[in-house]
């Protein structure tokens, strides 16, 4: 990759966050809620920010777990709502492609000269996907998890010990974001003092709603190129150094990724940042919110910390931090009696599969003793299953263990603000107060 000029990091902190930019855009372009809109068009962001998504998915699972929406803000697409159908599609990557249309419901705007595409291995098909995934996979092996566990525990303890016991605070900012950005900084060997940039970039990269605001696309592109320039500096510093366990060094010293062009490098950074930040962050927020919603389960966990490992799986299932992934049909196919045409867009709603009543009894409830909690699809399935799943599970487990050591109960007491998007499913803000149990 070509060497870029040195970047002035101080200029990166002056831009609004993605959420702030979108809120400003919506003031000038208020969304029109059509009372006659197709109730099965679950791409509408307000369903998630207002927490109204359960009913439409339950109706579809009951009556039409595979159905087509013709007119949406993102064009026509197939809703794939059942656990079985999603597993089937993900097990056939040579028919249902990640590369052909990308992994989110939003399409690339062919008529927009400012649009640009970031290649990333989750949005690649075999064989290229295989080589690039193998490059970063060693960072997430059981051996690496064991090596990192002490550092994760130390950082988690520091964050929890910094929290006030006698006042309200934002759990998302003080705990969820702080812990996940710190973990990403460790994984990348990223300068610690700049770690909050990772959250800033993650939100600009992963917010599907930005595709509906073409005026923000140039801003998004500028921010992501600044991200690329920052990481390019880290690459240049390490390219002639001895290999280290961080992800950038792994890329540099791999045959599959050492010759990436700048856009492909940026694309894989976006994948690892969004994958490592948004998912774990929103699971940690879902943990606090969900246990507060089900105090009987929280009490059961407080009385029996041995239930923590299964609680981790159940919270990930219940929260489902990424609501969907997309595939595009490479050929005509029969999908359980539905005729899929080449080029059709299929949206696999993980958030629905993890509520599938045929798999999970009383699926809207948190049940920390649920025997099949591990069958959730929050990490995907098949060759694209989340490469960092073990790390996410480890971080959430350690958070629960360190909370138990402190007999820390999190009580939601104030404003809860959810992400306004149909892709990332999580929380912007959650005011809480701690108590001892």
């Amino acid at each position: 990759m070509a060497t870029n000029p040195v970047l002035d990091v101080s200029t990166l902190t002056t831009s609004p966050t993605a959420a702030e930019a979108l809120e400003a855009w919506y003031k000038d372009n208020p969304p029109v809620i059509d009372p006659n809109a197709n109730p099965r068009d679950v791409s509408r962001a307000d369903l998630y920010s207002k927490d109204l998504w359960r009913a439409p998915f339950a109706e579809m699972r009951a009556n039409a777990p595979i159905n087509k929406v013709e007119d949406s803000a993102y064009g026509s697409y197939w809703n794939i709502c059942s656990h079985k159908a999603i597993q089937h599609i993900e097990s056939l990557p040579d028919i249902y492609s990640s590369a052909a249309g990308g992994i989110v419901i939003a399409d690339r705007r062919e008529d927009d000269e400012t649009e640009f595409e970031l290649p990333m291995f989750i949005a690649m098909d075999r064989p290229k996907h295989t080589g690039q995934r193998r490059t970063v996979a060693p960072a997430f092996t059981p051996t690496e998890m064991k090596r990192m566990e002490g550092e994760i525990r130390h950082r988690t303890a520091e964050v929890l010990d910094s929290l006030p016991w006698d006042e309200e605070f934002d759990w998302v900012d003080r705990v969820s974001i702080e812990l996940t950005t710190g973990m990403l900084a460790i994984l990348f060997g990223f300068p610690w003092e700049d770690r909050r940039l990772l959250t800033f970039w993650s939100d600009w990269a992963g917010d599907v709603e930005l595709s509906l605001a073409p005026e923000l696309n140039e801003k998004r592109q500028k921010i992501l190129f600044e991200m690329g320039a920052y990481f390019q500096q880290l690459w240049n510093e390490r390219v002639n150094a001895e290999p280290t366990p961080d992800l950038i060094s792994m890329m540099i010293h791999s045959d599959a990724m050492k010759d990436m062009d700048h856009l492909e490098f940026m694309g894989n950074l976006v994948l690892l940042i969004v994958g490592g930040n948004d998912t774990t962050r929103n699971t940690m927020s879902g943990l606090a919110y969900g246990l507060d919603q089900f105090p009987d389960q929280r009490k059961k966990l407080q009385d029996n910390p041995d239930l923590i490992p299964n609680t981790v799986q159940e919270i990930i299932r219940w929260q489902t931090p990424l609501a969907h992934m997309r595939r595009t049909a490479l050929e005509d196919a029969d999908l359980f009696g539905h005729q899929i045409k080449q080029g059709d867009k299929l949206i696999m709603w993980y958030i629905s599969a993890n509520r599938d009543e045929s798999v999970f009894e009383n699926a809207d409830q948190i049940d920390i003793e649920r025997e099949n909690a591990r069958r959730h699809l929050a990490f995907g399935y098949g060759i694209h299953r989340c490469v960092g799943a073990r790390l996410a599970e480890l971080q959430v487990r350690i958070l629960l263990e360190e909370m138990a050591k402190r007999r820390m109960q999190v009580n939601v007491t104030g404003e809860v603000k959810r992400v306004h998007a149909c892709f990332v499913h999580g929380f912007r803000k959650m005011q809480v107060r701690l108590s001892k149990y």
Side-chain angles (χ1 to χ4, degrees):
M1 291 184 294
T3 301
N4 287 346
V6 174
L7 185 69
D8 180 4
V9 176
S10 65
T11 66
L12 302 183
T13 59
T14 59
S15 298
T17 65
E20 290 167 344
L22 267 174
E23 284 176 9
W25 185 80
Y26 277 127
K27 285 181 181 177
D28 296 328
N29 304 271
V32 177
I33 306 299
D34 182 357
N36 299 313
N38 185 345
R40 291 178 176 172
D41 178 14
V42 283
S43 70
R44 303 192 326 269
D46 61 294
L47 289 175
Y48 306 91
S49 58
K50 296 177 181 177
D51 203 30
L52 300 174
W53 53 271
R54 292 171 185 80
F57 281 116
E59 184 278 323
M60 287 190 285
R61 287 194 304 274
N63 301 309
I66 300 171
N67 67 83
K68 194 169 188 182
V69 173
E70 294 292 353
D71 297 307
S72 82
Y74 303 102
S76 65
Y77 66 88
W78 287 90
N79 280 317
I80 313 297
C81 301
S82 72
H83 194 281
K84 179 181 178 181
I86 290 176
Q87 280 193 329
H88 179 79
I89 290 168
E90 294 228 58
S91 67
L92 296 171
D94 298 326
I95 296 176
Y96 302 106
S97 167
S98 299
I103 60 167
V104 298
I105 194 170
D107 291 316
R108 185 175 182 271
R109 302 174 70 93
E110 301 290 347
D111 59 342
D112 189 343
E113 294 182 359
T114 68
E115 183 66 77
F116 69 113
E117 190 170 358
L118 295 178
M120 57 185 75
F121 68 80
I122 196 175
M124 294 175 182
D125 296 330
R126 296 182 292 199
K128 192 170 184 180
H129 164 267
T130 307
Q132 294 204 359
R133 182 184 171 101
R134 282 177 179 164
T135 296
V136 300
F140 305 101
T141 61
T143 300
E144 277 299 292
M145 296 304 96
K146 190 172 183 62
R147 184 184 70 81
M148 287 193 288
E149 181 166 351
E151 187 166 9
I152 295 171
R153 191 173 298 281
H154 174 72
R155 285 206 61 254
T156 302
E158 279 190 336
V159 168
L160 293 183
D161 288 341
S162 73
L163 301 176
W165 286 84
D166 54 353
E167 64 186 58
E168 225 177 46
F169 65 92
D170 180 7
W171 178 268
V172 175
D173 181 67
R174 295 285 298 270
V175 179
S176 305
I177 291 176
E178 186 59 27
L179 286 177
T180 49
T181 52
M183 188 69 254
L184 280 174
I186 292 167
L187 280 173
F188 282 114
F190 194 86
W192 191 255
E193 64 277 10
D194 295 336
R195 66 190 182 281
R196 282 289 176 127
L197 285 171
L198 295 167
T199 301
F200 177 74
W201 291 329
S202 176
D203 290 343
W204 273 99
D207 198 327
V208 169
E209 286 294 294
L210 289 167
S211 68
L212 301 180
E215 297 92 330
L216 295 178
N217 196 52
E218 189 172 348
K219 178 70 173 175
R220 176 177 181 267
Q221 181 172 337
K222 177 178 180 291
I223 287 170
L224 293 186
F225 271 104
E226 288 173 343
M227 175 200 75
Y230 190 112
F231 274 97
Q232 181 73 63
Q233 289 179 191
L234 299 182
W235 180 289
N236 294 340
E237 290 168 3
R238 297 172 198 180
V239 70
N240 294 316
E242 288 295 311
T244 52
D246 66 88
L247 287 169
I248 296 174
S249 183
M250 287 181 178
M251 293 180 190
I252 288 171
H253 295 282
S254 76
D255 290 337
M257 300 178 90
K258 66 181 180 183
D259 296 320
M260 291 183 293
D261 64 28
H262 194 62
L263 285 181
E264 193 169 332
F265 181 47
M266 286 170 59
N268 280 313
L269 291 173
V270 165
L271 166 62
L272 293 165
I273 291 170
V274 173
N277 187 51
D278 281 355
T279 53
T280 311
R281 177 212 309 188
N282 288 310
T283 300
M284 288 177 170
S285 299
L287 175 160
Y289 184 79
L291 292 177
D292 184 78
Q293 293 294 296
F294 297 93
D296 61 321
Q297 298 297 303
R298 179 169 63 187
K299 179 68 165 59
K300 188 183 295 184
L301 182 63
Q302 291 169 349
D303 291 342
N304 186 3
D306 290 343
L307 293 173
I308 285 176
N310 201 66
T311 301
V312 170
Q313 301 301 324
E314 176 67 349
I315 292 294
I316 293 171
R317 179 201 69 83
W318 184 82
Q319 176 60 33
T320 312
L322 291 181
H324 78 260
M325 282 285 174
R326 166 188 176 169
R327 299 292 182 263
T328 303
L330 295 179
E331 59 190 60
D332 293 355
D334 182 287
L335 181 62
F336 300 115
H338 299 271
Q339 302 311 304
I340 307 298
K341 299 299 183 184
Q342 181 180 359
D344 278 0
K345 181 196 307 187
L346 297 92
I347 307 304
M348 304 181 298
W349 293 103
Y350 296 156
I351 199 169
S352 177
N354 286 343
R355 292 293 199 278
D356 191 329
E357 299 84 354
S358 69
V359 180
F360 305 108
E361 187 177 354
N362 298 320
D364 282 334
Q365 311 296 308
I366 288 178
D367 177 1
I368 65 171
E369 294 181 288
R370 189 182 298 277
E371 292 183 359
N372 66 346
R374 280 187 173 274
R375 288 192 64 190
H376 71 77
L377 295 180
F379 293 130
Y381 184 81
I383 67 168
H384 287 291
R385 188 177 190 274
C386 176
V387 70
R390 286 193 191 98
L391 180 58
E393 291 166 348
L394 177 63
Q395 291 177 86
V396 177
R397 173 172 65 80
I398 288 175
L399 175 57
L400 283 170
E401 289 172 349
E402 292 300 311
M403 288 169 62
K405 284 181 186 176
R406 290 158 180 77
R407 304 187 66 80
M408 178 183 287
Q409 178 172 299
V410 183
N411 308 290
V412 179
T413 52
E415 180 185 11
V416 175
K417 189 170 185 180
R418 293 176 172 85
V419 174
H420 187 72
C422 69
F423 181 57
V424 172
H425 178 231
F427 301 84
R428 295 276 184 221
K429 180 182 291 188
M430 186 190 306
Q431 294 298 116
V432 304
R433 187 182 291 267
L434 301 179
S435 63
K436 291 270 188 184
Y437 63 86

